[in-house]
Amino acid sequence: LRPDLLQARSNIQGDEASLQVAKIESRPQVTASAGYNIDPRDTGNRGFQIGAGLSIPIFDAGGHRADVRAAEASLAASNIQLDQLQKTVDADVEATFVDIAGSVDSVKNARDLVEAARVNLATSIGKYQAGVGIVLDIINAQTQLFTAETSATQAVYDYELARANLDRAGLT
């Protein structure tokens, strides 16, 4: 669905049409015509005319063959460009899938770290209230919780960014 892939495919269709036109122009052309001649001033001068013609491109200095070869080369180049673009899109999509998988793991790990920091903070507060801990332990536990929550937020951001990159890479 990517616009550059759609453009490359339409270029191929245009090149195929150009090749067909070039091939048709290199063949002999048959023409036919018919008509009826009416002169209102002279009622006796009426007639029916029929004509046929054949045009064979013999002396064109190879122009028609060159046009066919150029159209074939253009079609081949467009096919190569589409193949290369498809490979690039496939690589982009695969890389973003890998990024998403890593981001999912990072989000899970960051959430586990936040939970561990909360337990650590609760334990530090409980020790302080029991008289066996100090305020510095609580402050350290709060800092660890803040750092863990910041890491979790960054992991979620990275995950959403990876999803957006996947959309941009090939699914839009």
Side-chain angles (χ1 to χ4, degrees):
L1 297 176
R2 279 179 49 156
D4 48 352
L5 280 175
L6 296 175
Q7 177 66 41
R9 289 183 187 122
S10 68
N11 287 346
I12 288 175
Q13 290 175 344
D15 289 342
E16 288 172 345
S18 295
L19 177 60
Q20 292 300 320
V21 168
K23 285 181 178 180
I24 289 170
E25 287 178 348
S26 68
R27 297 181 195 144
Q29 303 293 315
V30 176
T31 58
S33 64
Y36 188 73
N37 191 14
I38 299 176
D39 187 357
R41 294 173 291 171
D42 184 9
T43 58
N45 189 12
R46 295 179 185 208
F48 188 71
Q49 299 173 349
I50 298 176
L54 178 66
S55 173
I56 302 174
I58 297 174
F59 301 107
D60 67 348
H64 290 296
R65 282 183 298 200
D67 290 344
V68 170
R69 283 193 306 266
E72 288 171 342
S74 179
L75 178 59
S78 292
N79 279 323
I80 290 170
Q81 181 182 13
L82 177 63
D83 289 342
Q84 183 61 40
L85 186 58
Q86 185 64 50
K87 289 176 184 176
T88 301
V89 169
D90 291 345
D92 288 348
V93 170
E94 186 175 337
T96 55
F97 269 122
V98 170
D99 289 346
I100 286 177
S103 295
V104 168
D105 291 340
S106 294
V107 168
K108 182 187 175 306
N109 292 338
R111 288 182 178 161
D112 291 345
L113 187 61
V114 167
E115 187 58 35
R118 284 190 179 132
V119 168
N120 186 27
L121 177 61
T123 303
S124 296
I125 291 172
K127 283 182 180 180
Y128 179 75
Q129 290 173 344
V132 290
I134 59 173
V135 174
L136 185 58
D137 290 338
I138 295 173
I139 293 172
N140 286 338
Q142 287 174 337
T143 303
Q144 289 173 351
L145 178 60
F146 176 77
T147 302
E149 288 173 340
T150 302
S151 295
T153 302
Q154 183 65 44
V156 170
Y157 171 79
D158 291 342
Y159 170 76
E160 293 297 332
L161 184 62
R163 283 188 47 199
N165 286 337
L166 178 62
D167 288 343
R168 182 188 56 78
L171 302 179
T172 57

